Amino acid sequence: MEKDFFVVGITGNFGTGKTTVCSFIEQLGFPVVYTDVLAKEAMEKDWNVKDKIIQTFGADSFLSDGKVNTQHIARYVFSDDSQSDKLLQKLNSIVHPAVINKLIEIIKQLGRTNKIIFVESALIYEAGLEEAFDFVILVDAAKEKIFERFKKGPLSKEEIERRFAKQIDSRIKRDFADFTIINDGSIDELKENTEFVVGIIQQLQLN
């Protein structure tokens, strides 16, 4: 569709700091749409999506209050089992169409009053969606840094490694991304680098 605004994707593998980058962008006054939030809403509120998830992963996919049971589903799609890749693809095939439809609707609305719209999505390249964006920003970090940040969290090193294995290597993504923000330093450095990249995109939008 013809438009006079930019849609910028923000992606990055597990634990690289996408959410922090997005928070800095929001502080600059730009809207950020989070596809993981849209996915959760689709899973919990879209009965067509919900039924397909229950058929695939069982009734325990949802808690008694209707919230998605992420731990239950994660045991299927992030396991060592040989079927886990197929189950992850199945989950994505159920959820992604609903997310994309909602995303298009939101972007159209935001485009009426915004010149640049940012979309956070971990799976831009895995889902082949890079052509939908004017630019893609990759947030990347060394594995050692990611392990360090998550060492006190609920996931083990093996579980983190399994999540890495489900995504395209970030070194490959760097070749395709328009901008790469490295998150190996301090929070102030990350904020400064984010503002620098956003400033370039602002200039490009004005030209």
Side-chain angles (χ1 to χ4, degrees):
M1 61 179 178
E2 293 241 350
K3 56 186 178 62
D4 58 357
F5 56 89
F6 279 169
V7 182
V8 181
I10 303 171
T11 195
N13 286 359
F14 177 77
T16 53
K18 297 182 299 297
T19 303
T20 305
V21 167
C22 289
S23 71
F24 292 146
I25 290 172
E26 288 178 313
Q27 288 171 25
L28 293 171
F30 297 98
V32 179
V33 185
Y34 295 86
T35 58
D36 56 344
V37 173
L38 299 184
K40 189 176 180 182
E41 287 178 355
M43 293 168 78
E44 293 177 352
K45 297 178 182 179
D46 186 321
W47 282 104
N48 182 47
V49 171
K50 198 168 187 175
D51 284 345
K52 289 179 180 177
I53 289 173
I54 291 171
Q55 288 170 21
T56 306
F57 300 101
D60 287 340
S61 301
F62 295 90
L63 303 172
S64 58
D65 60 0
K67 302 289 186 183
V68 63
N69 187 345
T70 53
Q71 290 183 333
H72 173 79
I73 294 174
R75 281 196 288 270
Y76 285 94
V77 300
F78 294 122
S79 73
D80 282 330
D81 188 275
S82 59
Q83 293 297 307
S84 65
D85 284 346
K86 289 182 180 178
L87 288 170
L88 180 58
Q89 290 175 1
K90 177 66 175 177
L91 177 64
N92 289 338
S93 72
I94 293 169
V95 178
H96 281 179
V99 170
I100 290 170
N101 287 339
K102 185 64 177 178
L103 182 59
I104 291 170
E105 179 185 323
I106 292 171
I107 287 171
K108 284 181 179 177
Q109 292 174 348
L110 289 173
R112 295 171 186 159
T113 54
N114 295 274
K115 291 297 184 182
I116 307 175
I117 300 158
F118 292 87
V119 177
E120 184 276 332
S121 176
L123 303 177
I124 287 175
Y125 293 108
E126 287 80 359
L129 296 175
E130 59 268 29
E131 294 301 320
F133 299 97
D134 295 288
F135 300 102
V136 174
I137 299 171
L138 173 69
V139 184
D140 199 11
K143 278 190 178 182
E144 296 75 21
K145 292 288 185 181
I146 295 172
F147 289 134
E148 187 180 317
R149 290 169 190 145
F150 282 87
K151 64 183 177 183
K152 294 182 180 179
L155 297 176
S156 68
K157 187 174 181 180
E158 290 72 26
E159 288 173 314
I160 294 172
E161 286 280 13
R162 283 201 290 270
R163 297 197 179 208
F164 283 150
K166 301 293 182 181
Q167 296 183 304
I168 297 170
D169 192 297
S170 61
R171 290 170 295 185
I172 296 172
K173 292 181 179 180
R174 285 193 192 192
D175 291 335
F176 295 102
D178 298 290
F179 304 94
T180 299
I181 296 174
I182 304 298
N183 184 20
D184 286 344
S186 69
I187 195 74
D188 288 335
E189 288 173 321
L190 181 61
K191 184 176 183 180
E192 184 178 335
N193 291 337
T194 300
E195 291 174 349
F196 178 74
V197 170
V198 171
I200 293 174
I201 294 171
Q202 281 183 284
Q203 289 300 314
L204 291 169
Q205 203 282 326
L206 292 170
N207 290 339

